[in-house]
């Protein structure tokens, strides 16, 4: 077992984990943060996307020990829950109906937040390219792209 | 799936990492970003007893100016290579290729050194590194040595890095102001290329360097094309004859994505496109 200390969604956590434990497993199984989901076995789908020190990563392809000393933000820590309001990107997905079954949504939103952080005013093509590591089996992507563009518009207003 | 159990070491210096490698020998595996290693461990295609994580060695991260070259630390991420000002100025081709690796999330974790050490013939960074004449700095118990790009790539997934050695940095000779383009042909957006061509040119066109991805067991230089491009005009007609030579001497694989002769056809077509875009035409 290896000792790790990290910050997850604003709270400091300290734990002993097996080195082989994946970050996504740690979040789901040890911390109960099941908002982050697993959609594949090949690190292709992006459903498990979280932020590690502020940038997006696929948490199925990171070991929990690699997050030692770092800060993790999951979909559960994105909104400022104190006032009960959704994060603007979550709100945009709701308004534009950017989901059907919702399985890809946590990863889509986390990647969209990263994308907009780097490029606050993207073109449609930049959104499609920036989200290429996130797969959706339902929507055909159309409303997902619309949601991200809507969130960017909202941030400008 | 999750990996088989292993011990985890997180050295904070290259010396420590090299001595850990020496101690554990072929039972140990180096981990850089883990973006190729972890999928392999999860599929249980490999089961090292010890994983040595280079993530805590800060000296391996970053890009610096070193006179006639820029020096890229092995642990610099694809994301940072893509965006770095020194890369834009002096080795634009690497920025263009790094932008095409995988997807945003993987580019945040995957490293320049990890990708080159992994030496996947379909990897996007080998051909540009070869085309730019990169030099590979490798550390072992006896100190460091430097290997030229032409000698670094040995075979499929095999490089000049010894079992007890670590790639620490890559020196890339400055190609200041050279135009560049990486033309990647894929079936699935964020995946490895079926074939890709890395082209960088001085003027339009005084000199050219062209590297080929996935046209053999290692990255290749399209030498005949490079020679024919010197003094060519940056027009469709001007580059066509040179691009026709791009597949000379290659022996690409045949697989579900394409037969060898199809890949050779792609190499010629993509070379034409890459060179024209690199020349700004
Ligand atoms: C879904 C997916 C899509 C991808 N698509 C692409 C793509 O389109 N194009 C592309 O080029 N790549 C792609 N990759 C691979 C990605 O680029 C990896 O980042 C890269 O191949 C390995 O870098 P890493 O830092 O993660 O290395 P790791 O996975 O940590 O290591 C890879 C190998 O190199 C060895 N190694 C690493 N660093 C060193 C060192 N400094 N010295 C000695 N040995 C070392 C390790 O022991 C291991 O065997 C993809 C990966 C995934 C999961
Ligand atoms: S579960 Fe991580 S990418 Fe699919
Ligand atoms: S909404 Fe069902 S997978 Fe995207």
């Amino acid at each position: 077992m290896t000792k790790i200390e990290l910050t997850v969604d604003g709270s400091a956590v300290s734990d002993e984990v097996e080195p082989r434990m994946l970050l996504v497993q740690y979040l789901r199984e040890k911390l109960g943060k099941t908002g982050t989901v697993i959609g594949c076995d090949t690190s292709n789908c992006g459903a498990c996307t979280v932020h590690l020190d502020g940038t997006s990563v696929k948490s199925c392809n990171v070991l929990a020990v690699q997050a030692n000393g770092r800060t993790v933000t999951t979909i559960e820590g994105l909104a400022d829950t104190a006032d009960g309001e959704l994060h603007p990107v979550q709100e945009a997905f709701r308004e534009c109906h950017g989901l059907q079954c919702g399985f890809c949504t946590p990863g889509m939103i986390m990647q969209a937040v990263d994308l907009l952080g780097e490029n606050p005013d993207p073109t449609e093509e930049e959104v499609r390219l920036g989200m290429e590591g996130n797969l959706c089996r339902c929507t055909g992507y159309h409303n997902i792209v619309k949601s991200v563009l809507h969130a960017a518009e909202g941030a400008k207003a | 799936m999750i990996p088989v159990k292993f011990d985890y070491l997180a050295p904070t210096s290259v010396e420590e990492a090299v001595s850990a490698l020496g101690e554990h020998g072929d039972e140990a595996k180096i981990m850089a970003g883990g973006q190729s290693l972890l999928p392999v461990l999860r599929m249980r295609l490999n089961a090292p007893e010890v994983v040595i994580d280079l993530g805590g060695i800060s000296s391996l991260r970053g890009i610096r100016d070193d006179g006639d070259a820029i020096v890229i630390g092995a642990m610099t991420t694809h994301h940072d290579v893509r965006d770095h000002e020194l890369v834009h100025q002096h080795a634009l081709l690497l920025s263009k290729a790094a932008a095409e690796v995988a997807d945003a999330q993987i580019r945040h974790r995957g490293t320049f050194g990890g990708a080159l050490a992994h030496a996947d013939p379909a990897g996007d960074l080998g051909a540009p590194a070869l085309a730019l004449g990169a030099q590979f700095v490798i550390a072992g118990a006896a100190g460091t040595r430097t290997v030229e790009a032409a000698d670094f790539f040995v075979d499929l997934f095999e490089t000049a890095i010894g079992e007890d050695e670590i790639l620490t940095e890559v020196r890339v000779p400055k190609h200041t102001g050279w135009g560049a383009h990486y033309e990647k042909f894929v079936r699935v957006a964020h995946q490895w290329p079926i074939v890709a061509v890395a082209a960088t040119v001085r003027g339009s066109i005084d000199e050219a360097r062209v590297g080929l991805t996935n046209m053999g067991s290692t990255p290749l230089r399209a030498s005949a094309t490079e020679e024919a491009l010197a003094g060519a005009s940056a027009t469709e007609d001007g580059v066509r004859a040179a691009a026709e030579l791009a597949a000379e001497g290659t022996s690409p694989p045949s697989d579900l994505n394409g037969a060898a002769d199809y890949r050779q056809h792609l190499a010629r077509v993509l070379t034409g496109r890459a060179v024209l875009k690199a020349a700004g035409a």
Side-chain angles (χ1 to χ4, degrees):
Chain A
M1 297 293 248
T2 300
K3 189 166 166 51
I4 55 169
E5 286 179 13
L6 63 162
T7 303
V8 181
D9 292 340
S11 308
V13 287
S14 152
D15 231 318
E16 297 261 326
V17 295
E18 268 194 317
R20 64 171 170 168
M21 179 173 253
L22 305 174
L23 179 59
V24 69
Q25 254 184 304
Y26 178 68
L27 295 170
R28 290 176 57 84
E29 295 169 19
K30 292 274 259 183
L31 301 184
K33 291 192 175 278
T34 50
T36 302
V37 294
I38 302 173
C40 73
D41 226 348
T42 52
S43 299
N44 273 288
C45 76
C48 65
T49 301
V50 301
H51 294 179
L52 186 60
D53 282 349
T55 55
S56 59
V57 302
K58 291 178 168 177
S59 62
C60 70
N61 215 20
V62 177
L63 297 172
V65 288
Q66 287 177 292
N68 184 29
R70 293 161 161 260
T71 297
V72 176
T73 306
T74 77
I75 188 73
E76 298 186 31
L78 193 59
D80 182 1
T81 43
D83 57 12
E85 290 210 4
L86 293 177
H87 182 279
V89 176
Q90 289 174 313
E91 187 58 42
F93 270 70
R94 197 186 63 78
E95 276 175 34
C96 299
H97 198 65
L99 59 139
Q100 286 178 25
C101 81
F103 196 82
C104 68
T105 314
M108 287 288 177
I109 289 176
M110 295 311 284
Q111 181 50 28
V113 171
D114 183 277
L115 168 74
L116 293 172
E118 199 164 88
N119 181 2
D121 192 14
T123 61
E124 179 181 334
E125 195 188 347
E126 285 168 343
V127 171
R128 288 184 184 275
L129 267 178
M131 307 285 292
E132 69 184 324
N134 293 73
L135 306 183
C136 175
R137 296 303 295 264
C138 304
T139 63
Y141 301 98
H142 193 71
N143 281 3
I144 292 174
V145 174
K146 216 161 103 185
S147 304
V148 181
L149 291 170
H150 185 68
E153 273 304 307
K156 269 190 288 179
Chain B
M1 247 154 72
I2 59 168
V4 172
K5 278 190 189 178
F6 53 77
D7 287 333
Y8 174 76
L9 298 176
T12 54
S13 71
V14 172
E15 294 70 30
E16 235 186 281
V18 167
S19 84
L21 257 186
E23 192 181 324
H24 297 283
D26 57 10
E27 284 158 18
K29 201 82 186 134
I30 292 285
M31 178 168 66
Q35 299 304 288
S36 291
L37 182 66
L38 290 175
V40 166
L41 300 190
R42 278 157 45 209
M43 293 296 172
R44 303 200 172 186
L45 300 172
N46 195 336
E49 284 173 26
V50 181
V51 169
I52 303 171
D53 182 1
L54 302 185
I57 308 178
S58 53
S59 65
L60 292 178
R61 220 174 281 276
I63 302 176
R64 64 175 201 275
D65 193 320
D66 190 28
D68 56 0
I70 60 169
V71 180
I72 303 178
M75 289 296 290
T76 311
T77 62
H78 304 316
H79 176 269
D80 289 354
V81 169
R82 184 194 70 182
D83 285 355
H84 205 285
E85 191 49 39
L86 285 173
V87 179
H88 288 181
Q89 277 175 25
H90 304 299
L92 183 62
L93 182 58
L94 288 179
S95 169
K96 299 272 181 172
E100 296 294 327
V101 172
D103 54 48
Q105 292 97 315
I106 288 166
R107 289 193 296 269
H108 284 142
R109 296 289 302 161
T111 67
F112 190 62
L116 293 166
H118 190 54
D120 184 334
D124 286 306
L125 298 173
L130 180 67
L132 291 170
Q135 297 174 314
F136 295 77
V137 182
I138 299 171
T144 64
R145 60 192 182 103
T146 300
V147 175
E148 300 292 329
D151 302 319
F152 180 77
F153 299 102
V154 176
D155 206 343
L156 291 172
F157 301 103
E158 192 186 334
T159 69
I161 306 171
E163 280 206 341
D164 50 357
E165 291 181 316
I166 290 172
L167 175 66
T168 56
E169 55 189 31
V170 181
R171 291 176 56 85
V172 183
K174 283 184 182 171
H175 288 68
T176 312
W178 287 49
H181 186 75
Y182 188 69
E183 185 78 15
K184 175 167 170 173
F185 193 81
V186 282
R187 233 159 39 88
V188 178
H190 63 283
Q191 291 282 6
W192 291 265
I194 297 170
V195 174
V197 176
T200 190
V201 304
R202 184 169 62 79
S204 65
I205 297 169
D206 299 318
E207 242 185 299
R209 304 267 182 277
V210 179
L212 307 174
T213 304
N214 217 8
M215 286 298 290
S217 54
T218 64
L220 298 172
R221 281 278 282 269
S223 311
T225 297
E226 290 179 357
E227 276 166 39
L229 282 172
S233 71
T235 59
E236 292 255 357
D237 287 342
V239 306
R240 186 173 299 129
E244 279 303 314
L245 305 172
E248 263 188 23
T250 63
S251 47
S254 284
D255 57 28
L256 285 178
N257 286 318
D261 62 339
Y262 174 61
R263 281 198 161 86
Q264 292 188 321
H265 166 75
L266 280 178
R268 291 187 282 265
V269 173
L270 302 178
T271 295
R273 289 183 196 162
V275 169
L276 283 175
K277 286 185 188 156

